[in-house]
Amino acid sequence: MMEILKVTSNEFKQIYPSPVSLFNSVAFVELNKYKCVEVHYLLFKDKKFRLGIILGENHEFFMAPFSASYSGFCYNTNVGIQYYNDAAKLIVDYVKMKGKKLKITMAPTIYDSTDAAKTLNAFMGILIPIIIIYLSVSGHLLVVSTLQP
């Protein structure tokens, strides 16, 4: 069974030292953390670490990213869809527990189309009210969840 772990920036960096995107790097996030109330470094683990995500918290939202064009999950190898599904459920529970909404803007599909598809599928599979906007010029997918506390 997968669990969600809130860790320090150093612990997150040990697991994901070179993320696919600069916007998912601890160095970038630490430079911009003043733009939110708190940064949440989250890891998803069962027998091993499967995924990670960095969320910035403000008064209304948990956001990935909170200071860049796009963000999303961090991973070191090809991760199966079931792990995305489990991580999405854990994020939704985490955000609901805090009484906030969730906003994730994924990377353009040119970077990793399977990550975008797995992420979108995972959140849609939970059947939470979401708004999905596809911006074809940049290739970004925006997932906004209107979670009610």
Side-chain angles (χ1 to χ4, degrees):
M1 178 165 189
M2 189 149 35
E3 62 180 326
I4 187 171
L5 304 170
K6 184 178 177 188
V7 298
T8 67
S9 58
N10 286 334
E11 291 169 315
F12 194 91
K13 188 176 180 179
Q14 287 177 346
I15 304 300
Y16 299 107
S18 303
V20 174
S21 167
L22 167 73
F23 301 143
N24 286 345
S25 72
V26 169
F28 181 84
V29 169
E30 288 296 307
L31 282 173
N32 291 284
K33 68 182 180 183
Y34 70 91
K35 296 179 181 179
C36 63
V37 174
E38 185 179 352
V39 174
H40 297 255
Y41 292 94
L42 303 175
L43 297 174
F44 303 92
K45 180 182 179 187
D46 55 8
K47 295 175 188 147
K48 60 183 182 176
F49 293 105
R50 301 293 180 171
L51 294 162
I53 196 165
I54 303 170
L55 298 174
E57 179 183 0
N58 70 16
H59 300 291
E60 184 180 3
F61 285 99
F62 278 91
M63 301 166 293
F66 61 89
S67 67
S69 302
Y70 57 85
S71 185
F73 286 110
C74 294
Y75 48 88
N76 289 324
T77 60
N78 186 20
V79 178
I81 185 69
Q82 184 55 44
Y83 299 114
Y84 279 79
N85 292 345
D86 292 345
K89 289 174 189 165
L90 289 168
I91 289 173
V92 167
D93 289 344
Y94 186 84
V95 171
K96 278 184 177 179
M97 182 180 67
K98 305 282 188 180
K100 305 273 174 117
K101 298 176 186 176
L102 177 65
K103 185 187 299 185
I104 299 174
T105 306
M106 293 174 280
T109 55
I110 59 168
Y111 292 107
D112 186 345
S113 61
T114 61
D115 176 64
K118 289 175 185 177
T119 300
L120 190 56
N121 182 71
F123 283 101
M124 289 179 71
I126 299 172
L127 301 176
I128 58 172
I130 60 174
I131 301 165
I132 303 160
I133 302 168
Y134 178 65
L135 305 175
S136 59
V137 175
S138 63
H140 289 67
L141 280 170
L142 173 65
V143 176
V144 177
S145 170
T146 56
L147 297 173
Q148 300 301 316

